Amino acid sequence: MCVKGLHLVTVLFGLGLPGMLQVGGIRVYTPGEVEAVNGTDVRLKCTFHSSSAVNPNSLMISWSFRPLKPGREESVFYYQQRPYPPVEGIFRRSATWAGDIMGRDASIILRQVKFTYNGTYICQVKNPPDVHGSLGEIKLRVVTTASFSEILKLALIIAGGITAAMVLLIIIVSCRRCKRKRQRREGDEEVPRKERKDPTACHPSRAVHLYMSDTSIEIDSSDGMISDPSTKDSSSSEEEEPSSDDDDGGDDSD
């Protein structure tokens, strides 16, 4: 009985162990297929997820190439603490590092791809103790001209950029129009304020009458006639002059 129980536990553990390793294993993600025009640069994207924290000192990334025709695999790129581009082979001076290990990115770039680059690229990542897991594969297809799908993608990207620029332009123009309308409205409100009459001021025709009324006027109590002080002064001076003549005449008679 005990032997059967032990055997059952062993079977269950054996069935669960691969699942545990798969859960704890490193997972690599690639786009699957990539198309590039002959003579252009192409990015081979590879990202990964590890159950362990990324250790920059022990993380290892390797890229290899398997051609379409039967042949041996060729090393494309290697990374451990720093990039190691190939020093020989068809990818010499062509493969460059484009990843970020702390961002869990193991991508590379192939410069000026050729038709001999057609094939499958394998991305493998090891992050000890997490060293087991899947491999990422990318099938690269080098073509003479871009396919309709690539042209469509490029057109959509361009159209999206133009649309975003137009929306931004419309927003800017609308804001400027609103600002001008607000300024005009404020200006129209200020004009009536400026045109309001000062309660202390009056019309020029009225100002003449007020000026005339400000001159001093005397009323003679004897006959009730109104006389101007300036007129009165001149008449009084004329009256005084004859009196002086009379006096002189009187002296002469004596």
Side-chain angles (χ1 to χ4, degrees):
M1 188 70 180
C2 294
V3 175
K4 290 182 179 181
L6 182 61
H7 179 70
L8 181 60
V9 172
T10 304
V11 172
L12 293 175
F13 182 78
L15 292 174
L17 183 60
M20 294 174 62
L21 292 175
Q22 187 176 0
V23 172
I26 194 165
R27 296 191 294 273
V28 180
Y29 306 95
T30 53
E33 292 185 0
V34 175
E35 185 179 285
V37 178
N38 182 35
T40 62
D41 299 345
V42 61
R43 179 188 178 95
L44 302 181
K45 187 176 181 180
C46 176
T47 57
F48 62 92
H49 176 77
S50 177
S51 58
S52 302
V54 176
N55 187 350
N57 297 324
S58 59
L59 182 74
M60 293 178 291
I61 299 171
S62 62
W63 282 86
S64 57
F65 170 68
R66 185 169 63 244
L68 293 177
K69 297 179 180 180
R72 64 182 184 85
E73 290 188 1
E74 184 173 351
S75 177
V76 179
F77 202 89
Y78 184 76
Y79 182 99
Q80 186 175 12
Q81 294 185 352
R82 70 180 184 86
Y84 290 93
V87 295
E88 59 181 4
I90 62 174
F91 298 104
R92 181 173 176 264
R93 297 180 180 178
S94 176
T96 58
W97 175 249
D100 179 16
I101 58 173
M102 299 309 298
R104 293 171 174 78
D105 188 355
S107 304
I108 61 172
I109 292 178
L110 297 180
R111 306 289 184 184
Q112 300 179 354
V113 296
K114 306 173 185 178
F115 291 108
T116 54
Y117 290 3
N118 279 306
T120 303
Y121 294 80
I122 300 98
C123 176
Q124 184 177 12
V125 182
K126 293 182 179 181
N127 182 38
D130 195 359
V131 295
H132 300 284
S134 61
L135 301 177
E137 293 187 356
I138 300 176
K139 292 182 179 180
L140 177 62
R141 190 161 63 95
V142 181
V143 296
T144 304
T145 57
S147 63
F148 178 76
S149 60
E150 294 295 328
I151 295 175
L152 181 61
K153 290 179 181 178
L154 182 61
L156 291 175
I157 293 172
I158 295 174
I162 294 174
T163 304
M166 291 180 64
V167 171
L168 181 61
L169 181 61
I170 291 172
I171 293 173
I172 293 174
V173 172
S174 300
C175 292
R176 289 183 177 179
R177 287 183 179 179
C178 293
K179 185 177 181 180
R180 289 177 182 175
K181 289 182 180 179
R182 186 171 62 253
Q183 290 177 351
R184 290 178 182 176
R185 193 180 300 111
E186 293 176 355
D188 294 340
E189 292 176 356
E190 291 179 357
V191 169
R193 294 178 182 176
K194 292 182 179 179
E195 291 182 353
R196 289 180 181 175
K197 295 181 180 180
D198 189 353
T200 60
C202 61
H203 195 270
S205 60
R206 291 186 176 183
V208 175
H209 295 289
L210 292 175
Y211 175 75
M212 295 297 296
S213 62
D214 288 341
T215 58
S216 60
I217 299 174
E218 294 183 0
I219 301 175
D220 191 354
S221 60
S222 61
D223 54 3
M225 297 298 291
I226 300 174
S227 61
D228 192 350
S230 60
T231 306
K232 183 178 180 182
D233 292 340
S234 60
S235 61
S236 61
S237 61
E238 291 176 357
E239 291 176 355
E240 289 177 357
E241 288 178 357
S243 63
S244 62
D245 293 339
D246 296 338
D247 293 339
D248 294 339
D251 293 340
D252 294 338
S253 62
D254 293 339

